[in-house]
Structures are given as C-alpha cells and as structure tokens.
Amino acid sequence: MSATARKTALLPDDIRARKGGTPIVSLTAYTTPMAELMDAHCDFVLVGDSVGMVLHGLPSTIGVTMEMMILHGQAVKRGLRQAMMVIDMPFGSYEENPQQAFRNASRLMAETGAGAVKLEGGQSMAETIAFLVARGIPVMAHIGLTPQSINTLGGYKVQGRGGAGARLLADAQAVADAGAFAVVLEKVPQTLADQITAAVQIPTIGIGASAGCDGQVLVVDDMLGLFTKFKPKFVKRYANLGEQADAAVAAYAAEVRARTFPAAEHVFADSVAGETS
Ligand code: KIV
C-alpha cells in the first residue's frame, strides 16, 4: 500500500505484518518541518540518536541525553499524521536493567507520543525487550553495528563477517523471540542480512545491509547531502542540499555587502496604500 493512501497512523503490528511484503520505508527526522516532509512517504519515522552527531555536532551518539531525545521527539511528532514514530533510547538509559529501561522507555513514549522505542543489542537485551513488551512498550531492536557500543566495537566496522555471522543470527532470533516487532540490521554483509531476513519472523530493516531486507532506513541528512562530514558506503545521496545551501548563503552575503539586498520589493513604504503584502 502506498503511504499516501493511509488515513491513520501505522502501528507496530502493521509494521510486523509487512514481513515479506512491500518493503517498509523509513528515514530519520529530528524536526517538525522534516517530519512533515516525509510523513506521506515513510511508513515509520525514526527519531534517531544520530541527532547528536547530525544536529548537535557531537563526535558520536554516546553523549545524547534523554532530554535531547524528548525535545526532538516532540518536534517530530508535531509533523506526523500518518507515519509511525519510533524513538531511540539513548546510551545509558536502558542497559542497567529492565526496570531502568521501563522507566525511561515509558517516559519517552509518554512525553513524545512515540509509537515505539528502539534500543541497541541482541541476546544481551532479550530480557529487557521481553520486560518492556510485556508492559505495553513496543520495541524495535537494532543489531550489527550498534553505534552506542563504538568504544567496544573498535570503530564503525562491518559486523558479522567470518565466524561472527552465527552470533548475529542468534542475536536476531533472540530479539524476535523476546517480542521485538522489527529489527534494524546495520552494516552487515548482504548474504548474512538475507539469511537473517529469511530466518526471523519479524521484519528486518536494513541500513548498509541488503535490498532483500523487509525495509530500509537512512539518516535523512545523509541522503539529502546536508551532513557531509563523512559518507558511509551505504549512503546514497538523493540530493546535494548542503551544496545548494552553501551557494545560497554565499549569494546572500555577497548581496548584503553590495547593498543589493534588500531590494525595492523587500522593503516597506511609508503608507500601506498600494502595498501587496
Ligand atoms: O540513530 C539513527 O539514526 C539510527 C539509524 C538506524 C538510522 O539508529
């Protein structure tokens, strides 16, 4: 079904039901205008903790706080009518124990209106996922390259190569068995992503994985060419808005310095007679 035909917001069960069907479309968003723009095109919008790097200039997602996620979650929610909103649990807000995870996940859902939370981890998070789901919190899992663990993974490397494939498959199975309604596969080899997609009963959402996944997600600023500090291989640039913005700002600066902006049509007369707006 095309996203534009929907009248009401999708629910986690709708996403789960898309297993093996029309690919699920998702992008990240952090602001109301961007959420408005993608609402008709995406099945779910992810308020990713990538917001820390993309909008706040942090070196990784480690420094992202609950307060940042809540503020951006509220902004995104105001821009959505049809797409479901999934919000990331930030580093340190869920790993301690299931109770800590419930406290923070319920706060994220209550204060932002998100339809689900996403958290990073496979077998090690299965107990927490089951705890949250049993208490009314839909969970999307995230395995493979999990950026919050960058300090133990030793960099933004492809995960699951060689002997590590079996562990990733077990991670995917563990989060599915624990009740996650979908699982993000980040930066895993294509063949392994296809194996996992075939093996688990829940949709796989790929980012740097495979076109055979049940859906795809990208960071919106990456695919629009707005965030250009680095470009992972898995990012396709659908636009170069950063370059356009740079040219526009340069043109504005030149016109201000030349006193050609503002022009007659941008300034106000002494009387309103004859003024159009
Ligand atoms: O934070 C994020 O943007 C993510 C990705 C999966 C897109 O988790």
Side-chain angles (χ1 to χ4, degrees):
M1 181 176 78
S2 120
T4 41
R6 284 198 309 268
K7 295 263 185 298
T8 53
L10 282 182
L11 299 170
D13 275 351
D14 300 317
I15 299 288
R16 189 200 300 268
R18 295 273 291 276
K19 176 75 190 172
T22 309
I24 298 159
V25 180
S26 176
L27 287 169
T28 64
Y30 319 112
T31 64
T32 307
M34 205 58 102
E36 282 170 346
L37 200 121
M38 62 182 65
D39 186 43
H41 305 288
C42 289
D43 297 305
F44 74 88
V45 167
L46 173 66
V47 187
D49 60 354
S50 50
V51 67
M53 298 172 76
V54 173
L55 292 196
H56 293 267
L58 293 174
S60 74
T61 56
I62 306 285
V64 174
T65 63
M66 282 287 290
E67 285 63 36
M68 284 163 75
M69 295 309 300
I70 288 170
L71 197 68
H72 288 284
Q74 289 170 338
V76 168
K77 186 65 184 168
R78 281 180 216 118
L80 298 182
R81 299 284 169 275
Q82 312 179 58
M84 184 175 76
M85 183 169 109
V86 178
I87 190 163
D88 260 341
M89 299 198 71
F91 179 64
S93 72
Y94 60 96
E95 300 89 334
E96 203 173 330
N97 53 45
Q99 289 75 12
Q100 181 214 24
F102 180 79
R103 219 170 26 254
N104 286 316
S106 57
R107 185 172 166 218
L108 283 174
M109 304 257 314
E111 294 189 28
T112 68
V117 299
K118 176 165 82 59
L119 56 80
E120 296 183 5
Q123 296 164 82
S124 63
M125 279 299 133
E127 186 192 347
T128 294
I129 292 170
F131 190 89
L132 295 181
V133 173
R135 285 158 183 78
I137 299 184
V139 178
M140 177 176 286
H142 180 160
I143 64 170
L145 174 63
T146 47
Q148 294 174 7
S149 303
I150 205 62
N151 291 315
T152 46
L153 292 177
Y156 294 92
K157 300 174 188 156
V158 175
Q159 300 295 307
R161 280 194 171 133
R167 188 184 50 76
L168 266 192
L169 189 55
D171 279 337
Q173 203 59 68
V175 299
D177 291 348
F181 70 91
V183 57
V184 170
L185 306 182
E186 179 162 353
K187 222 167 169 180
V188 302
Q190 185 178 15
T191 314
L192 177 61
D194 290 343
Q195 275 170 7
I196 293 174
T197 300
V200 296
Q201 296 301 307
I202 56 173
T204 55
I205 311 294
I207 174 163
S210 166
C213 288
D214 298 296
Q216 304 293 328
V217 63
L218 280 177
V219 170
V220 70
D221 294 65
D222 283 342
M223 58 87 79
L224 292 180
L226 280 168
F227 184 75
T228 54
K229 261 190 204 151
F230 33 82
K231 184 192 161 304
K233 176 180 159 93
F234 59 74
V235 171
K236 176 173 175 181
R237 290 243 168 93
Y238 287 82
N240 283 303
L241 298 192
E243 280 174 19
Q244 280 184 256
D246 186 59
V249 172
Y252 165 75
E255 290 188 11
V256 169
R257 291 190 180 111
R259 295 193 190 283
T260 54
F261 177 84
E265 66 267 32
H266 307 121
V267 295
F268 299 92
D270 290 339
S271 102
V272 290
E275 210 159 72
T276 50
S277 63

